[in-house]
Amino acid sequence: MLGDLIGEEQGQRTGIRVVSVDGGHPHVEVSFEATGTLLGVAVRDIGTYDSVMEADGTLFGDGQGCNMTEDGDIITWHGTGVGRPTESGGFSYRGSIFFESASAKFSRLNGTAGVFEYDEDKDGKSTAKVWEWK
């Protein structure tokens, strides 16, 4: 069951490279930066994800990164999801995400599973939302 919205952000792709094309399946690495909120606190998120495109256009992605607050709190994350290219030239992913933090302010996220929506347009601008998965 989905719980509360625990985070949302807007960002921009900062890098992209082809890692391999073995077996005719492109394996692409993408890096991004974003700003938003996590548990209502302003954060800056930086992350990288790897995606492999299957013959039918389905993307399987795996990523990691960290959120940082102005007070110096750090929240790391690891996510995995499935995506597809959009008609407008971008990509749309849906998946699960897990957080970890030594900060008391964000300790509630330790051991919490989240589900996310991540959408990127053809110009690399992204939006994401994360809900707690109860």
Side-chain angles (χ1 to χ4, degrees), residues 51-101:
S51 291
V52 176
M53 184 176 282
E54 299 297 325
D56 68 354
T58 303
L59 298 156
F60 292 97
D62 186 55
Q64 58 190 355
C66 63
N67 287 280
M68 296 164 280
T69 70
E70 289 183 8
D71 294 336
D73 299 305
I74 296 175
I75 308 95
T76 60
W77 58 265
H78 183 94
T80 190
V82 103
R84 292 201 176 275
T86 62
E87 289 183 15
S88 60
F91 297 93
S92 182
Y93 287 86
R94 303 297 182 259
S96 59
I97 189 168
F98 306 92
F99 298 95
E100 185 177 354
S101 181

Side-chain angles (χ1 to χ4, degrees), residues 5-121:
L5 179 69
I6 58 175
E8 56 187 320
E9 63 186 34
Q10 298 77 40
Q12 176 69 45
R13 181 178 59 224
T14 58
I16 187 168
R17 73 183 185 110
V18 175
V19 176
S20 75
V21 292
D22 292 339
H25 300 281
H27 178 176
V28 177
E29 179 184 89
V30 175
S31 295
F32 67 91
E33 291 185 32
T35 57
T37 59
L38 188 60
L39 297 181
V41 178
V43 293
R44 176 175 173 239
D45 186 13
I46 55 173
T48 300
Y49 63 89
D50 293 304
S51 291
V52 176
M53 184 176 282
E54 299 297 325
D56 68 354
T58 303
L59 298 156
F60 292 97
D62 186 55
Q64 58 190 355
C66 63
N67 287 280
M68 296 164 280
T69 70
E70 289 183 8
D71 294 336
D73 299 305
I74 296 175
I75 308 95
T76 60
W77 58 265
H78 183 94
T80 190
V82 103
R84 292 201 176 275
T86 62
E87 289 183 15
S88 60
F91 297 93
S92 182
Y93 287 86
R94 303 297 182 259
S96 59
I97 189 168
F98 306 92
F99 298 95
E100 185 177 354
S101 181
S103 167
K105 199 182 314 179
F106 294 95
S107 63
R108 145 172 193 221
L109 295 176
N110 295 330
T112 298
V115 293
F116 69 84
E117 295 179 350
Y118 177 90
D119 296 297
E120 185 178 298
D121 70 15

